[in-house]
Amino acid sequence: MPQQIQIDVILTLEDGPINASAMRESVRFFLQGARRDGQITPEDDQEHAMLTDVEVRLVSPGLELPRMLVLSTSHLRQETAQLLEADEAGVIRHEKGEYGWIIPIIDNPSNEPPPNLTDLVGIYGLARSVGATWIMLDRDADTVDGLETWEW
């Protein structure tokens, strides 16, 4: 199964029409192996993963697009989940249907999980390390390496 990574790129364009197709091909060429000297050799193709798809999304300047880290609720201990459910975990959270929560990551000491909730502290740390401004905890989401999981 192909591995997907997300790379945020900010492009500065001269005035004129935007051609998303041409932009996608330029990004594809760059990511597939353009080297400092501009030469791509057969050895490059063997040493590096092959890029199979590039998605280009055009976003109007001035729009704020938050990043959300989506994780399985199994990264929470049952006790922490119960505290979130009762709104007693010490963080702002919004219920996500029946089986999860959405939590804003804001720089405010009043929205920090208490140190004894090490599972939630770890999730906050991961979210901040990837630049997320929101966390979605969902029972159907994937687990990730580096965070402990619990069966409950």
Side-chain angles (χ1 to χ4, degrees):
M1 177 173 193
Q3 179 182 3
Q4 290 186 344
I5 61 169
Q6 179 176 334
I7 302 171
D8 291 333
V9 178
I10 298 175
L11 303 172
T12 302
L13 305 172
E14 295 180 19
D15 290 336
I18 296 174
N19 181 329
S21 178
M23 194 177 307
R24 181 174 39 256
E25 289 309 309
S26 296
V27 170
R28 178 189 298 276
F29 174 77
F30 175 77
L31 293 176
Q32 275 186 317
R35 304 290 182 258
R36 279 184 225 173
D37 61 4
Q39 301 298 312
I40 300 174
T41 66
E43 294 81 27
D44 290 332
D45 288 339
Q46 295 171 2
E47 294 177 11
H48 302 284
M50 177 61 90
L51 180 68
T52 58
D53 189 33
V54 172
E55 180 178 344
V56 174
R57 296 182 191 153
L58 302 178
V59 178
S60 297
L63 290 180
E64 184 177 334
L65 298 175
R67 296 188 102 172
M68 182 176 290
L69 175 64
V70 180
L71 297 172
S72 170
T73 53
S74 68
H75 287 298
L76 295 172
R77 293 184 308 232
Q78 186 173 14
E79 299 79 17
T80 303
Q82 289 169 341
L83 289 171
L84 282 168
E85 187 66 33
D87 200 13
E88 296 175 359
V91 297
I92 298 168
R93 98 296 183 268
H94 307 280
E95 290 185 8
K96 183 194 170 293
E98 284 185 58
Y99 305 108
W101 301 274
I102 297 175
I103 302 170
I105 302 298
I106 56 177
D107 289 328
N108 184 330
S110 67
N111 193 46
E112 291 295 318
N116 63 314
L117 298 180
T118 56
D119 50 349
L120 196 54
V121 169
I123 290 169
Y124 263 65
L126 176 60
R128 284 194 172 102
S129 75
V130 298
T133 55
W134 291 88
I135 298 167
M136 179 191 301
L137 295 164
D138 186 301
R139 77 169 184 181
D140 297 322
D142 291 333
T143 59
V144 297
D145 293 337
L147 290 178
E148 197 168 348
T149 58
W150 287 270
E151 295 287 331
W152 44 275

